[in-house]
Amino acid sequence: MLLNLFNLFGHYFWVISIVVSLQVFWQSGAVRERCKSDVEFAIDDSKVRWKLFLWMCAPWFAMGIGQRFGGVPTVWHFLKPGDGNPWVALFFLSVFGCWLLAAYWVYLRDGANAIVEHQLIRINGLTGQVKLTPNKVKLVVALMLIGGIAAALTMFSNHMVVPIGID
């Protein structure tokens, strides 16, 4: 039973990730109320959420295409990008592209303000929910990018042990 779940996870991680990405459409109560009373804000909120959803899903669509049509057997193969598979390379190109877009939007455009205004990130600290500011958003995004870069460097170093033999 556990092996079947592991195989299911390995074959459909990209679908699970797209479903999890749908959470971007769950508005907080305050945003829902503001959308009801401010049509312009509601339109902007919808645009921002769709943009973020598409950015979040681009790598998962690339992974899904690689697994369904490109012959990449499982998600575990994506953890070894140094093996030279072009579909894995496409996945990482989409990840890096999303990182560049996110950094540009947050640091050089109005992304940090939009994230605060539309309450797209919620952080809970030791004393409850943290009130976000654009500077806190920039810090969180920087930490996320640093973590992602560290993970990518680890994967590209080819020193990861992954369960590739499981299909």
Side-chain angles (χ1 to χ4, degrees), residues 3 6-7 10-11 67 71-85 88 92 155 158-167:
L3 188 57
F6 191 76
N7 285 338
H11 290 287
Q67 282 193 255
V72 182
T74 68
V75 67
W76 313 115
H77 290 75
F78 289 91
L79 297 176
K80 295 193 60 93
D83 289 349
N85 185 304
V88 174
F92 276 94
M155 287 183 248
N158 265 339
H159 295 298
M160 292 194 65
V161 178
V162 295
I164 289 184
I166 297 175
D167 289 320

Side-chain angles (χ1 to χ4, degrees), residues 128-148:
Q129 192 165 12
V130 174
K131 180 167 174 29
L132 281 183
T133 64
N135 285 334
K136 287 179 184 173
V137 168
K138 290 176 182 180
L139 175 63
V140 168
V141 170
L143 292 172
M144 291 167 66
L145 290 172
I146 290 167

Side-chain angles (χ1 to χ4, degrees), residues 60-73 78 85 87-88 90:
W60 308 128
F61 286 129
M63 180 181 281
I65 290 168
Q67 282 193 255
R68 300 301 297 161
F69 306 110
V72 182
F78 289 91
N85 185 304
W87 294 99
V88 174
L90 175 66

Side-chain angles (χ1 to χ4, degrees), residues 3-127:
L3 188 57
N4 288 340
L5 287 176
F6 191 76
N7 285 338
L8 203 65
F9 183 80
H11 290 287
Y12 296 103
F13 179 79
W14 62 278
V15 174
I16 296 165
S17 298
I18 291 170
V19 170
V20 169
S21 297
L22 288 169
Q23 62 81 30
V24 77
F25 293 108
W26 295 336
Q27 299 169 322
S28 69
V31 170
R32 264 194 314 274
E33 289 303 315
R34 184 167 175 196
C35 285
K36 288 178 185 175
S37 63
D38 186 345
V39 174
E40 194 172 312
F41 178 79
I43 292 169
D44 190 42
D45 186 69
S46 178
K47 286 179 185 177
V48 167
R49 288 176 190 279
W50 272 104
K51 178 192 317 184
L52 190 57
F53 175 73
L54 293 174
W55 283 355
M56 290 169 64
C57 289
W60 308 128
F61 286 129
M63 180 181 281
I65 290 168
Q67 282 193 255
R68 300 301 297 161
F69 306 110
V72 182
T74 68
V75 67
W76 313 115
H77 290 75
F78 289 91
L79 297 176
K80 295 193 60 93
D83 289 349
N85 185 304
W87 294 99
V88 174
L90 175 66
F91 168 76
F92 276 94
L93 282 174
S94 68
V95 169
F96 299 150
C98 287
W99 289 351
L100 288 172
L101 282 172
Y104 173 76
W105 185 56
V106 167
Y107 296 107
L108 300 177
R109 303 288 294 181
D110 65 338
N113 290 326
I115 289 170
V116 170
E117 188 173 15
H118 296 276
Q119 298 178 10
L120 297 171
I121 297 176
R122 293 180 200 100
I123 300 174
N124 290 316
L126 295 174
T127 59

